[in-house]
DNA sequence: TACTGATAGTCAGCATACTGAGCAATATCG
DNA sequence: CGATATTGCTCAGTATGCTGACTATCAGTA
């Protein structure tokens, strides 16, 4: 009888659950109110100023319907801006505000600390191996979800 | 500049995202409408007939407030029953119905197929190593989430 | 036994995620 | 050019997951 705990799907869920809890705890202790999803979106906007929502979704593998709400909240907190594009009036160009940049700078240590904590049961070598295997499994399954990773076109 | 894709938290999210999509696709193709969370709950009730909701939550590491809705849906589909306990009038005893048992039997091949697909990018050895590392990381982080795994007391 | 604390379950509220539908704008092709 | 297809975004609806609060009940103790 196969136990739930021997199923990769169940382990995936539990690891993610812990990862989110650790992230929120570290970031919260540092005095910030931001989710992992919001952080990834904000950091990606900063690295690609002026990108549109679909491109952002592709870069971090979010569903396009999820991005809408995430950006709503970043905008509402004053960390990002959403402007109509002039080249394509359907699209919204995204920018990080000055306060968003300040927040990103100050929050980074807590984010990095969270990444260490969620691997604290593993040696450095095991941690790297886990990352490698996750990468490989994800690459093979990328197209199986509605929100696959998409590279930017040059 | 550390990329999102080098952060274990982000990889955890993506792997889980793919795992859920694969599960829903396989189970849906087999003609069933069940989520990974519902499946784990139903299978665990079947393996521990008469258990209460808090114990169930501990066995699969769900939050107790999440369990309520999951069981609501299992009951609504006619797959499980919720009865008041006679020993403790606060508690609800959970059972799998006959149809729930039939469903579990018939759905198992699709569930196992999903587990294989989500590891299809890895060799058998790599798949086992990924499971081992996830187990180890999860064990170390178990107490960091609000819904840790709890063993049953004998 | 009365008081205190802990426990089982639910609920409201918020934040992902997804399905499917729809609108507006752009791209493509006959 | 005009019909059609595609694309960017949003919205309604559903299902996790969590925080925090609340009720009912139970357990332990003075």
């Amino acid at each position: 009888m196969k136990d739930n705990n021997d199923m990769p799907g169940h382990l995936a869920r539990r690891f993610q659950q812990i990862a989110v809890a650790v992230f929120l705890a570290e970031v919260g202790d540092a005095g910030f109110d931001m989710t992992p999803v919001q952080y990834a979106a904000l950091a990606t906007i900063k690295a690609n100023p002026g990108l549109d929502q679909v491109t952002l979704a592709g870069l971090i593998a979010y569903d396009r319907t999820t991005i809408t709400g995430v950006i709503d909240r970043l905008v509402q907190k004053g960390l990002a801006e959403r402007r109509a594009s002039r080249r394509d009036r359907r699209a919204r160009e995204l920018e990080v505000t000055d306060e968003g940049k300040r927040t990103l700078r100050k929050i980074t240590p807590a984010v990095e600390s969270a990444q260490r904590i969620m691997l604290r049961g593993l040696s450095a070598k095991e941690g790297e191996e886990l990352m490698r295997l996750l990468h490989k499994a994800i690459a093979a399954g990328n197209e199986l979800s509605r929100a696959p990773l998409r590279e930017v076109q040059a």
Side-chain angles (χ1 to χ4, degrees), chain A residues 3-89:
Chain A
D3 191 276
N4 272 321
N5 295 88
D6 294 325
M7 298 202 187
H10 196 71
L11 297 178
R13 190 192 142 276
R14 292 247 284 131
F15 186 53
Q16 215 257 331
Q17 174 186 51
I18 291 167
V20 171
V22 167
F23 185 103
L24 292 176
E26 286 301 297
V27 162
D29 286 355
F32 295 95
D33 171 31
M34 180 153 356
T35 67
V37 160
Q38 289 165 14
Y39 172 80
L42 195 60
T44 303
I45 297 172
K46 187 184 170 213
N48 304 271
L51 86 175
D52 64 292
Q53 294 187 191
V54 168
T55 304
L56 172 60
L59 286 173
I60 47 185
Y62 290 8
D63 193 276
R64 70 185 189 288
T65 64
T66 303
I67 282 280
T68 299
V70 173
I71 295 176
D72 281 350
R73 287 179 280 278
L74 288 176
V75 168
Q76 210 230 317
K77 290 182 194 175
L79 304 177
E81 276 179 3
R82 177 155 41 187
R83 289 195 312 261
S85 165
R86 252 165 306 183
R87 290 171 311 144
D88 185 338
R89 283 188 310 184

